[in-house]
Amino acid sequence: MDTTKTITLITGANRGMGFQIAKELGQKGQHILVGSRSADQGESAVQKLKALGIEAEYIVLDVTNKTTIEAASKYIKTQYGYLSILINNAGIALDEFQQPSQLSTDTMRKDFDVNFFGVIDVTQAMLPLLKQNKEAKIINISSIMGSLSAATDPNSQVYDASAVGYQASKAALNMWTIRLGKELQANEESHITVNSVCPGMVATEFGGATPELAREMGARPVEEGVIRTVELASSEDNSINITFSNKEGQLNW
Ligand SMILES: NC(=O)c1ccc[n+]([C@@H]2O[C@H](COP(=O)([O-])OP(=O)(O)OC[C@H]3O[C@@H](n4cnc5c(N)ncnc54)[C@H](OP(=O)(O)O)[C@@H]3O)[C@@H](O)[C@H]2O)c1
């Protein structure tokens, strides 16, 4: 199979950092599959990308809905037969500063459904398509908020952060990165790398904020938030595997 054209699926790419990643990777010549829960918002994102000369189409994909995940994987299989890069970007944070002793498991489960189980369901469905390539990449958008090292380091900026549902879901995601990376390392037919990336605090609508409010609290522009992801996804070199990094370098898990 000719897998020369890089086909990249980004979950939650209708807005925020997912859209910015779509834009930057599209401008580098990748064919972008915009994962979006809403067909309308997916279509609107695609129109904006196409206006910039980017090859893009949307796929309805709710990472908590297995029917949409299976339909997406079937569509990619029929249309292309393979997928080159999967960027698990969709994420939510539902915590509202509740203490760990108070946060309901209902809220935590919702965080985990998107940030952890959603990533697993999407990745497992896309793996047969990624395995069609000699080289492929999985990039999980994580957060320093999920770092156990940072949470226990008094010098870390997130030492006092309080969002245990979100933090635990990203810590679990990081473990999935490590375990899946190790499993796929042993695969002889294809070389699929798996990495976690922290974008930093970025001015989007994440967690119900507005970009303006987030900016006032010190959040950085989306262009900065996607630097490491775009770097990993567009690199010719696919030797980096099982890392947790941001635009400055390696992070402690
Ligand atoms: N912003 C930050 O400061 C920051 C910091 C560290 C890490 N991150 C991580 O970066 C990633 C992107 O965040 P962002 O700041 O770009 O957030 P955002 O602007 O809120 O965008 C989140 C995206 O995820 C999508 N999404 C939510 N639930 C979904 C589901 N069930 N299925 C499919 N898509 C779903 C949203 O779709 P809808 O439009 O349909 O809601 C939206 O496209 C997340 O994983 C987040 O945890 C963000």
Side-chain angles (χ1 to χ4, degrees), residues 11-18 35-38 41 61-65 88-93 114-115 141-145 166 170 197-208 219 222:
T11 65
N14 53 297
R15 65 183 167 97
M17 276 187 274
S36 173
R37 288 197 282 194
S38 141
Q41 289 184 30
L61 183 52
D62 178 335
V63 304
T64 64
N65 179 330
N88 287 307
N89 164 77
I92 57 169
V114 176
N115 301 344
I141 307 303
S142 181
S143 170
I144 191 67
M145 296 277 280
Y166 179 67
K170 293 293 190 184
V197 170
C198 171
M201 190 178 168
V202 178
T204 63
E205 292 168 58
F206 191 65
V222 280

Side-chain angles (χ1 to χ4, degrees), residues 233-252:
S234 57
S235 170
E236 293 279 317
D237 174 15
N238 195 22
S239 62
I240 296 171
N241 195 21
I242 319 178
T243 64
F244 181 31
S245 62
N246 65 12
K247 67 182 166 58
E248 269 92 39
Q250 298 305 308
L251 297 167
N252 291 323

